[in-house]
Structures are given as C-alpha cells and as structure tokens.
Amino acid sequence: MAGILLTTAAQDYLAELLSKQDTDGIGIRVFITQPGTPYAETCIAYCKPGEEKPEDRMIPLEPFNVWLDAVSEPFLEDAVVDYATDRMGGQLTIKAPNAKVPMVNADSPLNERINYLLQTEINPGLASHGGEVKLIDVVEDGVAILQFGGGCQGCGMVDVTLKEGIEKTMVERIPEITAVRDVTDHTVKENAYY
C-alpha cells in the first residue's frame, strides 16, 4: 500500500486485538497529531464502522481495513508499523520518518503555507475548545481573512485569540502576512444586533 507498510507481524497482532473487540467490520485508523511539526505523534486507533471520516482513504488488508486520515497521509510516506517480540512479550512499533517534516516550504504558494500553518499548529490548539479557523482570502497589504467556526463562533475571546495567538504566529512565520482579520469583523457595529 502506498505510503505506509504494516508488516505481517503487525497485521497478525492487530487482527488478534480486533477479534477481541466483538464488533463486525472493525478496523484501524492511522493518523498523526500535529503533522509536520516537531510535536507530531503517529497514532493507531480502533475504527468501528461509521467512525471513519468521509475524507479518509481506506486500504483493504486481508484481516481488516485500514483507514488513513487525509491530512496525515502525506506525512505517513515511508511509515512502517511492526510488531517486535522480545523477552518481555511484544510491542507494536510505528516508525514514521516524515511525520515531523513540513510538507510546504518557502517556495510553496502563500495560501498553501497559510493553510499548512492553520492545520498543523493553530487548529490543533483551537480543537480543544471545539473550534477551528480557516483561510478565506488574502487581501491587499498582506491581510489574511480568516473564518472561525465550531466553538470559536460567538466566543467572547475570539478577538484575543485572533490578535494574541493567530496573528502573532502568522506574521512571525509567513513574511507576506501583515495582519489577520476575522471574516466577521466584530469591530463594525453599525448593523450589530443589540
């Protein structure tokens, strides 16, 4: 399968674990938290039917299906999942040499670099509050227009998060960006509902 290799030993071990779950059609899902950053962690989780995400890629193996997280997939290139036995029993190991490697560089298009930063560093932090932010556009003078969603929408701390967190990080990391604005500019009060 492209990108990731599950050795026969790993497949046998995982198949045995899955057989104890008492759920028809259960497989595994492979994903990386904070991919492309120094904090990247490769994870394997049980994946019951219906728990996979629509954008996941399914890889059918003989004993079970593997679901690969779409955002993580490029970072799982050359990854190896193995099961090694030793005197103490055995251990599942995951080696993902590209998990921490950024998939964009200084020559990548501006939108890609912004989206990469949002997906790998900013959204994982917002996710703990059920929130997310996405890029809408970059307008003149290097102003990035972002849209908050999930738990961020309507949150009284959006302005602080935007200025102190997101804007500082983006201006520091992406030289073309001078400022960040919320697509819903909360400073425009003419039509505000009171």
Side-chain angles (χ1 to χ4, degrees), residues 106-180:
D107 299 333
S108 297
L110 181 60
N111 284 17
E112 279 183 28
R113 286 182 284 139
I114 293 170
N115 280 322
Y116 177 79
L117 188 64
L118 293 176
Q119 292 307 324
T120 59
E121 287 186 47
I122 291 167
N123 277 335
L126 297 176
S128 61
H129 304 281
E132 62 173 5
V133 66
K134 65 182 179 185
L135 176 68
I136 300 298
D137 199 5
V138 178
V139 295
E140 69 259 14
D141 300 329
V143 177
I145 308 295
L146 305 178
Q147 181 176 27
F148 284 89
C152 290
Q153 210 159 352
C155 168
M157 295 303 286
V158 158
D159 290 347
V160 176
T161 303
L162 187 69
K163 287 287 169 205
E164 296 303 313
I166 299 171
E167 185 173 80
K168 270 188 180 168
T169 303
M170 285 182 70
V171 169
E172 197 176 280
R173 303 283 295 281
I174 300 174
E176 297 95 318
I177 297 299
T178 57
V180 172

Side-chain angles (χ1 to χ4, degrees), residues 47-113:
C47 188
K48 294 178 181 164
E51 287 183 340
E52 66 280 349
K53 293 186 178 174
E55 63 274 13
D56 285 356
R57 183 162 75 90
M58 195 258 291
I59 299 168
L61 297 179
E62 193 74 33
F64 53 84
N65 290 333
V66 176
W67 300 92
L68 293 185
D69 171 61
V71 172
S72 305
E73 192 171 0
F75 300 91
L76 289 166
E77 195 63 43
D78 301 325
V80 177
V81 179
D82 195 11
Y83 183 76
T85 50
D86 56 29
R87 292 194 313 272
M88 310 301 282
Q91 185 178 357
L92 194 67
T93 61
I94 309 167
K95 290 187 177 78
N98 295 305
K100 294 177 162 78
V101 178
M103 289 288 149
V104 295
N105 58 42
D107 299 333
S108 297
L110 181 60
N111 284 17
E112 279 183 28
R113 286 182 284 139

